Amino acid sequence: MSADRFSLLIIGGYGTFGGRLARLLGDQPRLRLLVAGRSLEKADDFVADLRTPKDGAEGLGSNNLGAMVQAVAFDRDGDLTEQLTRLRPDLVVDASGPFQTFRKDAYKVAEACIDLDIDYADIADSTGFVAGIGGLDAAARAKGTFALSGLSSLPALSFAALDAMAPHFSRIDSVAAGIAPSAHVQIGLNVIRAIATYAGKKVTVLREGRLAAGRGLIDAMRVSVAPPGVAPLRSRKFLLVDAPDLALLPARFAGLQSSFTGVGTEPQPLQHLLSLAARLVHLRLLPSLLPFARLLQGASHRFAIGEHRGGMFVRVDGLDHAGKRLTSGWHLIAEGDDGPFIPIIGVDALVRRLLTGVRPEKGARPAAGELRLEDFEAAFRRFQITSGIRMENEEAPLPLYHRILGSAFERLPPAISALHAGGARIASGRARIERGGGLLARVVARLIGFPEAGWEVPVTVRFATDGDKEIWTRDFGGTVFRSFQVEGKGRDRHLLAEVFGPFRVLLALVPEGEKLRLVVRGWRFFGVPLPLFLAPGGDTYEEERDGRFHFHVEIGGQLTGLVVRYTGWLVVEE
């Protein structure tokens, strides 16, 4: 490294992932950032855009660009020794790919870096490429350099999450991981090509402790991504993808019985069509989906329908240290356009550590376990990214709200957590009740048994448990109505289901400061799903105010208008 600046060469620096990495690191004044690719014109255009102020010079515009940024031409198929000698980088990051298509001289960039005493890292997601980097270990050690492969979501982030959960287990039987990109992410062509290479073809997984042939984009599992305290993603199927974790997990956990890595895209009907196309390859009616990569990319862009949020999960099953069954899940949700930055956060963390003088051990190896979960979480705070771990021990069931909220339950204000502490209990207080005036609103209110309008109405709520249910009996000045609450199952996992007669309303529990918001995510009538835009809802939350539990409940809909609104306070009786 030069006396004043650390020189970083990003191959594919104006591409999908390389460009995001350049934007993330552009604020580092000690960096000489070389944005590289085959086209110098494209590199120049990218750098010019990087230097242009955004939204009044906030963000990565010219006023905030501390790094020395330079566009350079770099051809990975050219004379690597000459190019690297001329550019003199301290670290080369390969963000190009798709690594699945590399065949002859797959590691020529890493080898050239090692020969010239240059450190190397990449964001490869190819199982063979990442697992094979160890073949360069002796050469890297001899030169005193490092070469890290797969410094991306899978395996760097997934293994960081695994390492955080593993101490809770005495034995790990199965590991599953998956990525759920936002429907609005503009997926790059190289990513589509990488997936198309193994669609419908053999993907090696573990089943019953033995290597087995999975089917790419055909085998599936359903998961609800739900970090503690965040409204979960809609439940979706994850299709099997070939990721480095599948090759690295057996060595990490002796006796592992099963493994899975998947992708769950939205809209799900489009993913279903992709899976059907993969079956044509599996049946040898098509040789490959690779020739259709551009068509698949166009379809994913054209049908960008769904939530503007994405996520990721890592789930571990096994035994705890008492020999009891234990399931632990790490979940992540990224809001808006922040999800696409996750694959390069590992490289961002590595570079920032290098700038402080912290170097990885010398040698060439997969990046699994190279960074801690804390390293990623520090970067998440720069974005709208939330992650957390859920622990589920079947021998030690928690109260209903604690089960759904996971570790976020511990952050609730005392008055709220006391009301939801579980078991038989009684709470009493006062309420103000408002009723809607429409005919349909009055019919619904009468059907469910909501109380009439009133001020300072005495209210008592009796809580009882029946298995995994909580039965709530509300008495508003002599008008009694009941509902029961239960944790959602299957597609409704990690949601609170409240049942009023034939209606089942699905609610996300979302802590927000001193409040616990209840957000409607779906509803059923006699088990039949109904359109969400017609669901009963409103501004509903619980909060602690002056040390006392307060509630604010609104129930209404597009067709009914306001049905009922009741607000007030409760105190749990001793």
Side-chain angles (χ1 to χ4, degrees), residues 314-490:
V314 180
R315 192 172 75 189
V316 184
D317 291 282
L319 300 180
D320 65 14
H321 293 284
K324 306 296 185 181
R325 297 301 309 176
L326 176 65
T327 297
S328 180
W330 173 83
H331 298 252
L332 173 150
I333 285 181
E335 306 290 347
D337 297 322
D338 288 351
F341 283 93
I342 294 172
I344 49 86
I345 280 178
V347 179
D348 175 78
L350 171 69
V351 173
R352 292 177 189 273
R353 290 176 66 178
L354 288 169
L355 292 174
T356 65
V358 179
R359 282 180 55 81
E361 292 184 9
K362 62 184 179 182
R365 58 192 176 276
E370 195 65 36
L371 296 172
R372 299 170 302 171
L373 187 57
E374 291 84 356
D375 296 320
F376 288 95
E377 289 173 335
F380 293 162
R381 288 192 284 273
R382 300 165 64 190
F383 301 94
Q384 286 185 289
I385 298 176
T386 305
S387 68
I389 294 174
R390 293 179 175 274
M391 308 290 290
E392 300 175 21
N393 190 321
E394 65 182 10
E395 300 297 329
L398 296 170
L400 175 62
Y401 278 56
H402 200 160
R403 291 200 306 274
I404 295 172
L405 283 166
S407 59
F409 186 84
E410 308 298 337
R411 302 196 300 269
L412 293 179
I416 298 179
S417 59
L419 191 89
H420 298 297
R425 58 207 185 280
I426 298 175
S428 58
R430 295 279 172 172
R432 172 188 174 183
I433 305 164
E434 302 170 71
R435 287 278 294 268
L439 175 61
L440 187 55
R442 295 199 304 271
V443 170
V444 172
R446 183 175 296 277
L447 176 67
I448 295 177
F450 288 134
E452 297 292 335
W455 292 73
E456 288 295 307
V457 178
V459 56
T460 301
V461 183
R462 289 177 169 80
F463 304 87
T465 57
D466 180 10
D468 60 353
K469 296 180 183 178
E470 276 198 358
I471 302 170
W472 291 38
T473 303
R474 304 167 178 87
D475 184 336
F476 288 88
T479 300
V480 178
F481 73 97
R482 294 179 178 85
S483 69
F484 73 81
Q485 298 182 353
V486 66
E487 183 178 5
K489 305 296 182 184

Side-chain angles (χ1 to χ4, degrees), residues 303-316:
F303 297 100
I305 303 169
E307 293 183 294
H308 209 84
R309 56 206 307 251
M312 180 176 171
F313 79 92
V314 180
R315 192 172 75 189
V316 184

Side-chain angles (χ1 to χ4, degrees), residues 526-538:
F526 285 113
V528 178
L530 299 175
L532 181 60
F533 75 94
L534 294 177

Side-chain angles (χ1 to χ4, degrees), residues 183 187 192 217 239 265-278 295-305:
I187 300 176
I192 300 292
L217 298 189
L239 302 180
T265 58
E266 289 277 280
Q268 286 273 282
L270 186 62
Q271 179 176 269
H272 183 61
L273 291 176
L274 177 62
S275 184
L276 289 176
L295 177 63
L296 295 172
Q297 182 194 34
S300 71
H301 292 180
R302 183 178 297 273
F303 297 100
I305 303 169

Side-chain angles (χ1 to χ4, degrees), residues 180 224-236 307-312 331-336 384-388 390 404-406 408 411 491-496 506-512 516-522 532:
S224 296
V225 178
V230 177
L233 296 183
R234 299 194 184 283
S235 175
R236 66 190 66 191
E307 293 183 294
H308 209 84
R309 56 206 307 251
M312 180 176 171
H331 298 252
L332 173 150
I333 285 181
E335 306 290 347
Q384 286 185 289
I385 298 176
T386 305
S387 68
R390 293 179 175 274
I404 295 172
L405 283 166
R411 302 196 300 269
R491 294 173 181 264
D492 305 330
R493 187 169 171 77
H494 304 308
L495 294 173
L496 176 71
L506 302 166
L507 303 159
L509 304 181
V510 184
E512 185 182 282
L516 175 63
R517 291 198 175 275
L518 288 82
V519 182
V520 177
R521 296 302 300 270
L532 181 60

